[in-house]
Amino acid sequence: MALWDAVPLAHPDPIFAIAEEARAAGSEAIDATIGVYIDEKGQTKLFPSVKKAMTEVLSDYASGSFTYTPLLGIPEYRSAVTELILPNASLPVASCATAGGTGSLAINLRMLKLLESNIRLCLPTPAWANHAPLCRSAGVAFEELAVLENGVVRCDVIIDWIRNTSGVRAILLQAGCTNPTGIDLSKDQWKEIMPVLKDSECIVLLDVAYQGFGSDPDTDAAPARGLVSEGIPVLISWSASKNHSVYRLRTGMALACVPDEHTRKRVEGHYSTLSRGLWSTAPDLGQSVVARTQSHHKKEWLDDLAHVRGTLERKRTVLRENLPEAFQAALGGIGMFATLPLSAEQITLLKTKHNVFILNDGRINIAGIPGERLEEFCEKIQTVL
């Protein structure tokens, strides 16, 4: 039909498309694409603490209520996540359960538009592949800002943008285990940026997707707590996908620290309206599992996260020891990801000649490569250099 002929071809998602190719290539392929934490058998790892919580939740699930949850989410979930990120906050915190971390970004980008329809957003790059599409879908104008040089984030470049950009503006920053590089702002750099943000009244959209994967959860939440303590306007987008291993349950939360209770109610009213227009109510199973994990199995959950961090650092060490000097800066970060200095031609050769799948920008998921195949992975990279 001519009507459908007018629909243009859609660009495939750059992460999921290559992940599909890797799955189709079979078990012999090395799949370093999609960001999930897997065990040595190649299976997505469900943390023992979360498995206990899920078993307990599911034991009562069939006999429970299947009516809609509140638009803002399950209260005990919202309280648990707020406690993880902003415990004992001196100001009220508005919050809303979302469909994953992606949903929390989607809803906070729309909140930015409510704050200022012509807001200008800075997107430091390299950025997660889905950051720019989410900005476009929310109608938020953004400009990319290259901030990485020789394996270090250029704090001065960020500060210059904040100081020299006029009008109402915002900047999207990541708190811990930056995707796709694994290279974060240091503690000293955060301290340097904070007063500049405060003086400029620049709004921060803070992406907190890996709390507990870089350091303990309190340390990883330090940027969020610092921004709030300095009175810097901040919208926080949080994900449970990685740190509770509940990827497909699509569990996230949007938060905003506000000056008073009256403002909190107004912001949560808008969160409710935005939620209703996107997914209505967020899925409840993940919320219940996260709340149960935090209320009954938190010590074991902290131990699970410590195990994850240890495994990731051991894998990263193997990569550093088996790849040449030119790769060392790229491997100097933390968390699941690193962006290797490979050309498009080299990445294609890895896929077509060696059955190794990484993203087109060179990003690898270190957690996705079985430990027993890390040296093989490095050897195959050496062959295309």
Side-chain angles (χ1 to χ4, degrees):
M1 292 176 61
L3 173 66
W4 295 105
D5 291 342
V7 177
L9 289 174
H11 295 290
D13 180 86
I15 299 176
F16 278 84
I18 299 175
E20 284 294 327
E21 290 185 61
R23 277 192 288 270
S27 59
E28 294 304 310
I30 295 179
D31 180 4
T33 58
I34 201 162
V36 296
Y37 183 86
I38 68 166
D39 61 22
E40 288 304 297
K41 296 179 181 179
Q43 301 299 312
T44 303
K45 178 73 171 178
L46 181 63
F47 299 160
S49 59
V50 178
K51 188 173 184 178
K52 285 183 179 178
M54 187 173 293
T55 300
E56 292 162 4
V57 169
L58 289 175
S59 68
D60 298 325
Y61 209 66
S63 59
S65 172
F66 282 83
T67 191
Y68 295 113
T69 57
L71 286 170
L72 291 174
I74 300 172
E76 54 267 33
Y77 166 74
R78 294 167 58 210
S79 296
V81 176
T82 302
E83 181 67 18
L84 272 178
I85 307 170
L86 300 172
N88 306 313
S90 58
L91 294 172
V93 179
S95 65
C96 181
T98 63
T102 298
S104 64
L105 283 162
I107 208 170
N108 272 336
L109 283 162
R110 286 159 175 79
M111 185 63 75
L112 275 179
K113 289 281 287 186
L114 287 174
L115 293 171
E116 172 55 56
S117 60
N118 294 318
I119 197 161
R120 299 176 65 183
L121 175 69
C122 175
L123 179 59
T125 62
W128 177 42
N130 208 24
H131 276 148
L134 283 167
C135 292
R136 294 189 191 101
S137 68
V140 174
F142 67 95
E143 54 188 285
E144 296 183 347
L145 182 71
V147 299
L148 197 65
E149 185 176 292
N150 298 323
V152 177
V153 180
R154 288 280 304 275
C155 181
D156 58 317
V157 172
I158 295 173
I159 288 173
D160 285 346
W161 185 91
I162 297 168
R163 283 178 172 162
N164 299 323
T165 303
S166 59
V168 181
R169 57 210 181 279
I171 185 167
L172 196 161
L173 297 172
Q174 297 186 53
C177 305
T178 297
N179 187 350
T181 64
I183 299 171
D184 295 341
L185 287 164
S186 69
K187 291 180 181 179
D188 288 340
Q189 286 177 321
W190 274 110
K191 288 180 182 178
E192 189 175 354
I193 289 173
M194 292 280 187
V196 181
L197 287 167
K198 187 172 184 177
D199 289 345
S200 67
E201 298 185 346
C202 180
I203 303 166
V204 176
L205 177 53
L206 192 67
D207 189 356
V208 186
Y210 312 98
Q211 186 184 6
F213 269 41
S215 185
D216 63 86
D218 285 333
T219 301
D220 281 353
R225 297 173 189 180
L227 290 166
V228 169
S229 68
E230 290 295 325
I232 297 164
V234 58
L235 296 170
I236 300 170
S237 297
W238 182 88
S239 172
S241 293
K242 272 72 173 179
N243 66 13
H244 284 78
S245 59
V246 290
Y247 308 91
R248 67 170 53 189
L249 297 187
R250 310 311 302 133
T251 310
M253 198 158 90
L255 305 94
C257 200
V258 295
D260 51 52
E261 280 297 317
H262 175 69
T263 305
R264 181 188 65 78
K265 291 177 182 178
R266 282 198 296 127
V267 171
E268 288 186 346
H270 283 295
Y271 270 152
S272 295
T273 302
L274 291 166
S275 175
R276 181 64 168 150
L278 288 168
W279 49 74
S280 196
T281 62
D284 80 303
L285 180 55
Q287 295 180 59
S288 297
V289 170
V290 168
R292 183 75 180 186
T293 301
Q294 292 303 311
S295 64
H296 287 72
H297 306 290
K298 186 168 184 176
K299 182 181 183 304
E300 187 175 352
W301 176 72
L302 291 171
D303 291 340
D304 290 340
L305 287 177
H307 176 76
V308 166
R309 294 193 298 272
T311 299
L312 289 174
E313 184 50 40
R314 285 192 296 274
K315 288 187 172 186
R316 193 177 285 269
T317 298
V318 173
L319 293 174
R320 286 195 292 259
E321 290 174 347
N322 288 274
L323 288 173
E325 180 62 31
F327 287 72
Q328 298 309 305
L331 292 167
I334 58 174
M336 297 171 65
F337 303 118
T339 299
L340 303 183
L342 294 166
S343 68
E345 181 182 8
Q346 290 167 334
I347 291 168
T348 299
L349 281 174
L350 283 170
K351 178 172 66 173
T352 58
K353 300 294 185 182
H354 301 285
N355 222 13
V356 173
F357 294 80
I358 68 177
L359 299 191
N360 290 332
D361 62 0
R363 192 197 83 170
I364 62 169
N365 171 26
I366 296 170
I369 308 170
E372 63 184 15
R373 301 193 70 182
L374 279 170
E375 291 187 14
E376 175 193 352
F377 174 78
C378 294
E379 289 169 2
K380 289 184 173 181
I381 286 180
Q382 298 268 21
T383 66
V384 303
L385 300 180

